[in-house]
Amino acid sequence: MKVSNRLNNINGDGDDGWGLFYRSRKMIADGVKVTELTIGEHDIRTDRSILDAMHASAVGGHTGYAMIPGTDALRDAVADRIQTRTGVPTTRDNVMITPGGQSALYATHLAALDAGDTALFIDPHYATYPGTVRGVGGIPVALKASPDNDFQPQIDELAAAAADPRAKSLLINTPNNPTGVVYSRETLNGIAQVCKDHDLWLISDEVYDTQVWDGEHISPRTLPDMAERTMVVGSMSKSHAMTGSRVGWVCAPADMITHLINLATNTNYGVPGFIQDAALFALNAGDALEAQVAAPFERRRALTLQALEGQNVVRAVPAQGAMYVMLDIRATGKSSWDFANALLDEKHIAVMPGESFGSAAAGHIRVAMTIDDDAYVDAINRLVAFAKACIT
Ligand SMILES: Cc1ncc(COP(=O)(O)O)c(C=O)c1O
């Protein structure tokens, strides 16, 4: 039977980097001791207190169909979190609960684009962005943020791409996966101006908003006249180590939320009630729990910088947030694919090739800081020794 062109083409024709990830998983299954630094998954599990709340909710009967936009209590809690942190007036009417941030990315692009419209996003980018755009029938257009500009997007290039009348949306991600870079106020002001000048929706992926080590996270929804054209994607995955619970949200103008609820009614039909109750419990636990989940990554970032001292073959990209560190390995003369594959084969350390996130990250690798401190420092030391050996 024929499969639709849209699904057939969802992955485009490039290698998305998961090849290396699956190879490392296969080695592990075959009994090889691989140090796994590929995926954005914490080395802790969801806090026991959140699981207890989930269990109590399920046993208490919240196992039927749940409210499709989200329970009132959870929508209120998300709205409150956003208003408290940004100062932008936000109510439950601005919030729809989704099965994770990925589903929110899909819904917001479906809401912004008609078939054949173009969706702008920044390279390097989270692996699913181009497929998400293709999946809704849009045309992905990646705009490079280069290492020469500390991976901050260049506003004149954005403006030129936005001038294409087919361009309908711009997707940004700060704090950024894979680079760890947090966009400056100047960058965000420029982005906001481009969106206003060219009447674009701004889709702001803020799933790493609790992981900022230097400076501040600025949500572009706070910038003048941006609340009416910004859809914020949020998630409990990274902030509360709830990746498997699949719970996140969209925050958008109320009339857009009405449309997104129609979409949810005809697609996922909401998020399980006991998961929503667990998310509510987790949000009510406040900043302390978020800080506890984020702390290992800040600590390991400092450990990375320490381990890299005294050599200049491997350099950390100056970054301010997220659970990854991007390493510049251009001095080895190897491509990021060759470096990552050889590192896996010879040293049994699995990292993501930079180019799996787009061509702007050529000559870089992404390291997820997601194993315990001692094993992590040992892996970075071995990685540096391997890089040095590449040039001798
Ligand atoms: C930048 C970014 N956005 C969105 C997601 C999706 O997260 P989830 O669907 O688990 O909320 C991820 C996951 O790694 C991510 O890195």
Side-chain angles (χ1 to χ4, degrees), residues 123-157:
D123 165 6
H125 56 83
Y126 175 49
T128 67
Y129 285 179
T132 300
V133 172
R134 286 190 209 101
V136 307
I139 300 168
V141 175
L143 298 160
K144 282 193 181 144
S146 86
D148 301 341
N149 299 312
D150 291 336
F151 289 110
Q152 299 267 339
Q154 297 307 290
I155 303 306
D156 48 344
E157 288 164 24

Side-chain angles (χ1 to χ4, degrees), residues 40 99-105 125-129 173 175-178 205-208 233-238 242-244 246-248 323-324 366:
Q102 182 56 49
S103 161
L105 284 167
H125 56 83
Y126 175 49
T128 67
Y129 285 179
N173 170 222
N176 187 265
N177 174 14
D205 179 344
E206 303 183 21
V207 304
Y208 294 99
V233 169
S235 173
M236 305 290 289
S237 287
K238 313 293 177 175
M242 290 180 72
T243 47
R246 313 308 304 136
V247 57
M323 61 207 291
Y324 315 99
R366 189 197 73 173

Side-chain angles (χ1 to χ4, degrees), residues 304-305 307-317 325-332 339 363-365 367 380-391:
T304 315
L305 298 181
L308 296 182
E309 272 169 16
Q311 55 81 47
N312 52 17
V313 181
V314 180
R315 200 184 58 86
V317 166
V325 59
M326 191 85 160
L327 299 179
D328 181 346
I329 48 101
R330 283 176 291 182
T332 65
F339 186 91
H364 292 70
I365 52 170
V367 177
I380 297 295
N381 286 335
R382 287 191 292 131
L383 185 156
V384 171
F386 175 76
K388 284 182 178 166
C390 290
I391 52 172

